[in-house]
Structures are given as C-alpha cells and as structure tokens.
Amino acid sequence: MMFGHGAGAPPPRAGGVGVGVGGASTSGPLADRPPHPDPLPLKKGERERGHCARSPWIALRLLAVAVAIAMTPGPAAAAGLDGASLRWPWTLPFLGLLLSIATGPMLFPRIWHDHYGKIAFAWSTLTLAPLAALRGIPVAAAALVHALLADYLSFIVLLFALYVVAGGILVTGNLRGTPWVNGLILAFGTAIASVVGTTGAAMILIRPLLRANAARLVNAHVVVFFIFLVADIGGALSPVGNPPLFVGFLNGVDFFWTARNLAIPTAITAGIVLVVFIAIDSWHYRRDRRIELVGERPAPVALRLKGLSNLLLIALIVGAVLLSALWRSGITFEIYGTRLALENVLRDGALMVIALASLRLTPEEHRDVNGFSWEPIREVAYLFAGIFICIIPVLASLGAGKDGPLAWLLDMVTRPDGAPNDVAYFWLSGVLSAVLDNAPTYLVFFNLAGGDAARLMGELATTLAAISMGAVFMGALTYIGNAPNFMIYAIATERGVKMPSFFGYLAWSCAVLGPVFALLTYVCVGRTAPWPWTWPWTWPLSWPWPSG
C-alpha cells in the first residue's frame, strides 16, 4: 500500500508535498522486557502459551477495527487538509507523543508500561477531535481511514511477520566470546540485517552472543557495538532491512534503490565500526585472560540451528514484498476515499498467513528458550497507531511548502539558489531520528524534499541518499532511535549485562560513530562519484525494478 496521495489526500503543491500519513519504526521503548502481567490467572508454564494463543490476533483485531471505521457511512471522498491554513499548535500532539515515547520508559517506567496505550490514545484524540470540530467530521474520518488502511497496516503487518518468524529461529551452542568470534557474529548479523530485517537479525543473534560472552568480566561494549551494527547500520540495503526504508518503498522508492546507492557508504561505515570493535574487544579480552582460571577447558562448540522452517518463511516474506512491487494488477478498492491496490492487500494478507504458519510450525519450546513474548509487538502496535494519526497535520503543513507553518524547516535544508542542502538533510534527519524515531523522521524529510519518489531517485538521488543514511545510520545514536536498540538493551539487562545508561550509551555512540559520520559526510554525502554499482556484480540491481 502506498503512503502517497490517495483520494483522501490533496495532490502535491509546487515546492511541497501532498498529505500522507507517516510510518514509524519499532523504536524507542519497544523493549523486549518481561511480559506485562496477564489479566487472566494462568498456571505456571501456561502464561506464554496463553499469549501465543491470543496475541497473533493483535494485527487482525486492528484490521477489523480499521475496516469497521472505514465502512462507516460517509462521502466517497473527503476534502483534503489545507496545510497553509494550519498553524504550529497542530504539531504539538505529534511532538508530545514522541516526547512521551522518548522519556516515559526512563522517567516513569511503571506508569508508562501500564498505560502506554492510553497515552497514545490521548495524543491521537488531541489530533482528531480538533480536526473534526474545526475541519469537519468527513475530513477527520477520511484522514483516519487513510492512516489506518493505507499506511499503518502495511507497516505493522511487516514488522509483525518479521518479529514472529525470527522469534522461532533458535541458535544454540557453546561459542566462546573471543574478539574474532564476536567480530564474526557482528559481521554476520550486519550482513543478514537487510535480508531478515534489523529486528529479525537482532532476535536471532543477541542471545547466542550473550551466552558466548557470559564469562567475560567486561562485556557491555559487545552489546553496544551489536546495536550499532546489527540493529541499525546493517539494515541500510533493503526496505525489509529498516523501517524508514520500508516507508520509502511504500512511497514509491524502488526496492533495490538503496542497495545500489547505499552499498558503499554502508560498507565504509560498517567496516570502520567493526575494526574499532575488534580493537576494543581485543584489549578487554587480554585483560580478562590475565585472571582466567588455570586449567579451564573450553566446551565444544556444538553449534546448532533449530526452527529451520522459519528460514523458508523469511524468504517468503521477502518474496511477498518484492512481488508486490513487480506485479501491477490494475485493480483498486476505494474505502472512504482511500484507494487500496489489490497486490498490496494480497501482500499484507500473505504476510499474516506466513506469521501464523510460523506459530503453527515452530515448537513452543524454541520460543520459550528464546524468551519470546508478545509485549514488544503489542507496544509497537499501540504506539505507532498513535504516531500514524498524530503525524497527519505535520505532513499537511509540510505539504504547503513555503506557505505552511513549517517553512522554516524547509529553509534550513535549502541552499540560497533553491537546491537541497544534502549535508543538512543528512545531519538533521539523523539527529532527529536519534532523539525521536527514524521512520516518521524519514517520512518528514522525504516529504520536505518534495515527496516525488521518481524525482528523488533521479536528479535528487544524492538528497534521498542523505536522508536514508541519516535516518538509518544515526538511529544507532540512542537507545530510542530504532526499535531493536531498546529491545537489545532490555534483553541484555535481563541477562545480567551491566549496560550503560541512556547518556552513557550516548557517550559511546558519539565517541565511536560521530567521527565515522563526519568522515561519511566528507566522502559520500552529496557526492555523485562513480560508485561500484556500475560494476558487473550490481548490474541486476540496475534493472528498472518497480517500486512499492
């Protein structure tokens, strides 16, 4: 489904964009924390089975609610929002929700964990109620339907499928956390993150990594670099890899565009960070060996991979997303002004079937050993439903271009001659992705650059690359920049790793990643040098693949 301009949204203005509803990543406090106490009195050992029995239907319930709202009698098409008539207070619910996501788990964790759904609902109500009162119920209803059906469901269904399928893959063995073993795990995770998603790669590898390093005296840095590489940087090469890139795919960016244009920047960034990790880990490892027990014998590796059927299911997920880009049925459905393409409806349905198949085919003990729970994806579903709704006035304001209330933001990323300032796009989209959330931040700057995917992939390709690199790479700067970051933090903390605090992690990321991003700015951002995608190995990626 497209995040673009449905019947319920106005066409793009000159110098601006039309109104769409943005996506959001599974970031911030979407942690893999212990499951929330279940309201039903389950016996010991039945709690997770109870969750497994009920929670697969989260996305289906949301779909039913969305369809019920969509089928409410109303006009076939509603008038779009006029962003030029909006003022800055309309952006407050969006900013308030993102600020709540950023600070809630840190400042009032118990209240946040018990009531995050109510908090998201409150901010959503503060967006829709004034919209209905001042602009009319049809406009508010059309915007809500477009947010839920055209934007939110595609986003959450993909995350749901990746989360479920990856949670069924179990890696066991007796790996020793040497610098080279750790480096190989991080390199492997970085390589597969664009295939199975950063969430999938993190869920598959974090627990084997923690077991391998359990005997190390100092091991927090291993998890920190795992976040840098596997949870963020590694997912820069496909829409499946990182939520911001899936948002771009849904807005018309070719499936392989990121692989063609971000391969070298990603290799440079990941390579430097990996080298720094091996140097730091080698130093700590030598210190650990000084007090190692005499006569200690390492256990045999005995590495095993269980839940192999889920590897096939991951391939089916990637195939479903790619097929929806290649196939154009020409059949659309219109629901309250929102047009849904048949191929996108079938894609989302296939992803749900794949997720349910994983639950059916995977033995429950695999998920039990992995510490799998439904709380993270439930939190994702509730919070980002709110984000998709609260961002409506923000995108409408951006749609007004220089006539809207956010014209100052456009001025910051525009040169005096009217051309986009790629360096400003890279750093602004990156810093905001770190402190807010990278998927909606990507969408805001995508629309700020014009929102025309064809033009952004053509004459403005360096601008789109800058936005993509900023949103993906700098999501690693904080625990709340991307979904798996906080998830990994919670798992590691639960396993006894003394992880740095929010600001301690920020110090790590600034010290390690700051110089890398500065180098990347000089070497890659805004440059059109002949990158190796002109080499034969990338010719298939240069074919005219359709976009989402």
Side-chain angles (χ1 to χ4, degrees):
M1 299 181 188
M2 297 294 293
F3 275 71
H5 317 290
R13 296 181 175 221
V17 295
V19 180
V21 183
S25 78
T26 57
S27 62
L30 315 175
D32 191 2
R33 57 171 67 94
H36 184 66
D38 201 302
L40 298 180
L42 299 177
K43 296 178 181 180
K44 183 177 181 181
E46 294 181 346
R47 183 172 302 279
E48 284 300 322
R49 291 195 294 274
H51 279 303
C52 289
R54 295 190 300 273
S55 296
W57 308 105
I58 292 173
L60 292 180
R61 290 182 209 158
L62 292 167
L63 174 61
V65 172
V67 171
I69 295 173
M71 298 306 294
T72 302
L81 286 174
D82 180 12
S85 65
L86 299 177
R87 295 295 179 263
W88 65 267
W90 286 95
T91 65
L92 293 180
F94 176 65
L95 296 176
L97 177 56
L98 292 184
L99 185 62
S100 299
I101 293 173
T103 61
M106 307 294 176
L107 300 181
F108 40 94
R110 183 179 297 276
I111 294 176
W112 174 262
H113 184 62
D114 290 340
H115 303 290
Y116 58 78
K118 298 173 185 176
I119 294 172
F121 177 79
W123 287 116
S124 300
T125 302
L126 289 175
T127 298
L128 291 175
L131 191 61
L134 301 177
R135 304 303 166 104
I137 294 178
V139 172
L144 176 61
V145 169
H146 190 272
L148 294 178
L149 293 183
D151 304 334
Y152 173 73
L153 283 178
S154 291
F155 177 82
I156 197 63
V157 166
L158 175 63
L159 292 178
F160 178 81
L162 287 172
Y163 181 82
V164 170
V165 175
I169 299 174
L170 176 62
V171 181
T172 62
N174 297 310
L175 291 173
R176 295 192 68 195
T178 66
W180 292 110
V181 169
N182 290 335
L184 286 174
I185 293 176
L186 266 60
F188 177 70
T190 304
I192 68 171
S194 288
V195 178
V196 302
T198 51
T199 299
M203 292 296 296
I204 293 171
L205 295 175
I206 181 58
R207 291 178 178 88
L209 182 70
L210 292 175
R211 288 194 293 267
N213 289 273
R216 295 277 300 269
L217 298 179
V218 179
N219 53 15
H221 65 282
V222 179
V223 182
V224 168
F225 277 86
F226 184 85
I227 294 174
F228 292 166
L229 289 165
V230 180
D232 292 276
I233 297 171
L237 300 182
S238 82
V240 177
N242 219 301
L245 303 182
F246 188 64
V247 170
F249 173 72
L250 294 176
N251 274 276
V253 178
D254 290 345
F255 188 91
F256 291 110
W257 187 91
T258 52
R260 293 195 303 267
N261 291 269
L262 301 186
I264 295 303
T266 301
I268 292 173
T269 306
I272 295 174
V273 174
L274 189 59
V275 169
V276 173
F277 165 75
I278 292 177
I280 294 175
D281 197 42
S282 297
W283 184 77
H284 282 294
Y285 185 70
R286 284 194 298 269
R287 296 184 63 195
D288 290 349
R289 287 181 62 85
R290 294 175 185 171
I291 57 173
E292 205 173 44
L293 293 178
V294 177
E296 181 184 13
R297 293 183 179 180
V301 174
L303 192 63
R304 292 184 178 181
L305 184 65
K306 300 180 181 180
L308 295 178
S309 60
N310 288 285
L311 296 178
L312 175 61
L313 295 179
I314 286 179
L316 292 178
I317 291 175
V318 176
V321 174
L322 184 56
L323 183 61
S324 70
L326 297 175
W327 176 43
R328 286 290 179 264
S329 66
I331 301 174
T332 61
F333 309 95
E334 184 171 307
I335 302 178
Y336 209 85
T338 295
R339 293 175 182 170
L340 307 176
L342 174 63
E343 56 269 23
N344 295 332
V345 174
L346 293 178
R347 176 196 65 211
D348 293 344
L351 294 179
M352 286 300 303
V353 171
I354 292 170
L356 296 176
S358 175
L359 292 173
R360 177 68 176 174
L361 297 174
T362 305
E364 290 184 8
E365 55 267 23
H366 291 180
R367 298 186 191 277
D368 292 340
V369 174
N370 269 338
F372 183 90
S373 74
W374 292 104
E375 180 63 16
I377 196 64
R378 181 186 293 115
E379 192 168 356
V380 168
Y382 293 163
L383 291 181
F384 290 107
I387 288 179
F388 275 78
I389 292 171
C390 292
I391 204 174
I392 295 172
V394 177
L395 296 183
S397 300
L398 290 173
K402 292 186 176 297
D403 297 326
L406 298 180
W408 59 271
L409 188 58
L410 184 62
D411 293 336
M412 290 182 66
V413 295
T414 304
R415 299 182 186 276
D417 61 357
N421 186 335
D422 293 341
V423 173
Y425 270 108
F426 174 65
W427 283 98
L428 282 175
S429 63
V431 171
L432 290 179
S433 291
V435 299
L436 298 176
D437 179 82
N438 58 3
T441 301
Y442 172 97
L443 186 63
V444 166
F445 283 90
F446 181 91
N447 288 336
L448 200 62
D452 184 348
R455 186 164 179 255
L456 285 169
M457 290 187 294
E459 60 182 294
L460 298 180
T462 57
T463 302
L464 182 57
I467 296 170
S468 301
M469 288 188 292
V472 173
F473 294 164
M474 294 197 196
L477 289 175
T478 67
Y479 284 135
I480 62 174
N482 196 20
N485 299 7
F486 203 95
M487 198 177 298
I488 294 167
Y489 164 83
I491 295 174
T493 302
E494 183 183 10
R495 296 296 181 94
V497 178
K498 296 180 180 179
M499 291 294 293
S501 66
F502 181 89
F503 293 104
Y505 176 87
L506 182 62
W508 267 97
S509 63
C510 289
V512 175
L513 299 179
V516 179
F517 294 151
L519 175 64
L520 201 65
T521 303
Y522 177 76
V523 174
C524 299
V525 175
R527 293 183 179 269
T528 56
W531 299 114
W533 56 71
T534 59
W535 296 352
W537 71 271
T538 57
W539 285 348
L541 302 184
S542 301
W543 295 344
W545 297 94
S547 55

